[in-house]
Amino acid sequence: MNATGLTEQQNVAEREPVLDVVDRVCELCFGLFMALTFVGTVSAVGAGADAGHKMFYTALGCNLAWGLADAVMYLVRTLVARGRRVTLAHALQSEPDAAVGIRTLHDAMAEWLKPLLGDTELESIRRRVAARADLPRRAAFVRGDFIAAAGIFLLVVCSTFPVALPFLLVANVPAALIVSRVLTVAMLFGSGVALGRYAGFSGWQAGLAMAAVGILLTAAIILLGG
């Protein structure tokens, strides 16, 4: 919790990158799993010469829809979270009792932060927030929010292609399905490596764990008829 974070719509330059490593990798994995699931579903019922095209366009259409939904929900979450911070800031400014303000600030903190900040630090934060004259009246979107939402949409949609493109490039549908699943597992491994390194874990172990999740999901799809 810091004072500068309360006026994000007025200080775009101070914002963090619109999508961090976790956001990017998780959205990519989400798109992969969605495409994999729909490719498996169509493979259960797809037949005929156009089966490959059907799989590709079904997976693409699915991820277009879910990419849009995920982008919109990102905007909703962002505005709600920002609104909560702005409301907290105004509550601290309008509260004349310092002890009540400290308690309000303490209650709003993440649980893992509470043991790290005592009343002295919280009072310093409360005073800085209360002294600000540039607090917005209400939460509002900034340009970076829409850039992030567009990034989420593109990540979910683009993740379709490694899964579904083999069905356009490989005439034999069973062979295309194998290529698709191998590419998916490989991308999941890479995503796991990125997450593991970001979190301070072993990259290859995290990659294997994420790939195992992909293999288990693929097996489940096969068992269900995919």
Side-chain angles (χ1 to χ4, degrees), residues 18-131:
V18 291
L19 289 177
D20 62 20
V21 172
V22 177
D23 290 328
R24 293 194 297 268
V25 173
C26 287
E27 292 299 338
L28 178 64
C29 289
F30 173 74
L32 282 173
F33 284 128
M34 289 300 301
L36 179 64
T37 301
F38 271 75
V39 164
T41 302
V42 175
S43 71
V45 297
D50 64 341
H53 287 77
K54 185 186 297 183
M55 291 180 188
F56 176 82
Y57 289 115
T58 299
L60 180 60
C62 161
N63 278 23
L64 282 169
W66 279 107
L68 179 61
D70 210 19
V72 170
M73 290 310 301
Y74 168 83
L75 292 174
V76 171
R77 293 193 305 271
T78 297
L79 190 62
V80 169
R82 186 171 299 147
R84 184 171 181 268
R85 292 193 294 272
V86 171
T87 299
L88 173 62
H90 283 293
L92 294 177
Q93 282 196 335
S94 62
E95 178 53 64
D97 190 331
V100 175
I102 290 173
R103 187 163 59 250
T104 300
L105 194 56
H106 180 271
D107 292 342
M109 290 168 53
E111 289 297 325
W112 69 272
L113 271 177
K114 291 181 179 180
L116 304 178
L117 295 177
D119 288 352
T120 302
E121 292 87 359
L122 292 178
E123 170 59 11
S124 176
I125 295 172
R126 186 200 69 80
R127 284 201 307 268
R128 291 200 300 273
V129 173

Side-chain angles (χ1 to χ4, degrees), residues 97-187:
D97 190 331
V100 175
I102 290 173
R103 187 163 59 250
T104 300
L105 194 56
H106 180 271
D107 292 342
M109 290 168 53
E111 289 297 325
W112 69 272
L113 271 177
K114 291 181 179 180
L116 304 178
L117 295 177
D119 288 352
T120 302
E121 292 87 359
L122 292 178
E123 170 59 11
S124 176
I125 295 172
R126 186 200 69 80
R127 284 201 307 268
R128 291 200 300 273
V129 173
R132 291 189 71 103
D134 58 348
L135 289 178
R137 293 179 56 192
R138 60 185 179 183
F141 289 119
V142 297
R143 183 182 62 178
D145 299 330
F146 298 103
I147 294 174
I152 287 172
F153 174 79
L154 290 175
L155 279 171
V156 174
V157 173
C158 290
S159 64
T160 303
F161 291 98
V163 180
L165 200 57
F167 295 99
L168 292 183
L169 302 178
V170 180
N172 183 275
V173 172
L177 190 58
I178 293 173
V179 173
S180 171
R181 287 168 175 166
V182 169
L183 287 174
T184 300
V185 171
M187 290 188 66

Side-chain angles (χ1 to χ4, degrees), residues 180-203:
S180 171
R181 287 168 175 166
V182 169
L183 287 174
T184 300
V185 171
M187 290 188 66
L188 288 172
F189 176 82
S191 298
V193 169
L195 283 178
R197 290 177 176 173
Y198 182 79
F201 303 137
S202 169

